[in-house]
Amino acid sequence: MNQFLIPANTKRSSLIFGIFMPIDLVIFLTGVGLTLIILVIISSANLLDNYTSILGLLPALTSVALVFPFPNYHNVRVAVGELIGFYTNRQKYVWRGWCSKYEFKDK
């Protein structure tokens, strides 16, 4: 039986810049672009104070937080998705080792 562990960095070559999946790049660029638009609108309307500038930075801060690398997961977005999946799916988890696919047969 040929059993071996796959190195942790084998998927990095399939990522954009070695960091982003396509959806992560879309989330990041959307958040930063939205922040730039909001800051231009705020500065042109002379509404620039501490609270409005912090509110203007929220989309970029949120998108950066979602795509930030997280240990043992790809990023925070993936970790949050795993947590949501854990708490919303069935609660019977069976350890099958390092299996690439698993079909659950309910008896």
Side-chain angles (χ1 to χ4, degrees), residues 13 45 60 67 71 94 107:
S13 63
V67 299
V94 180
K107 294 180 181 179

Side-chain angles (χ1 to χ4, degrees), residues 22-75:
I23 188 68
D24 295 333
L25 194 59
V26 168
I27 290 170
F28 177 73
L29 292 177
T30 302
V32 170
L34 190 61
T35 295
L36 289 175
I37 292 169
I38 290 172
L39 289 178
V40 167
I41 291 170
I42 288 173
S43 66
S44 67
N46 292 329
L47 298 171
L48 200 59
D49 63 350
N50 291 338
Y51 296 115
T52 55
S53 61
I54 291 172
L55 286 175
L57 290 175
L58 276 179
L61 295 175
T62 304
S63 65
V64 167
L66 284 174
V67 299
F68 192 77
F70 194 69
N72 300 325
Y73 294 94
H74 176 71
N75 56 22

Side-chain angles (χ1 to χ4, degrees), residues 7 18 31 35 81 86-87 91 94 100-101 103-104:
T35 295
F86 177 79
Y87 286 113
Q91 293 296 311
V94 180
S100 61
K101 74 178 178 179
E103 289 90 18
F104 179 72

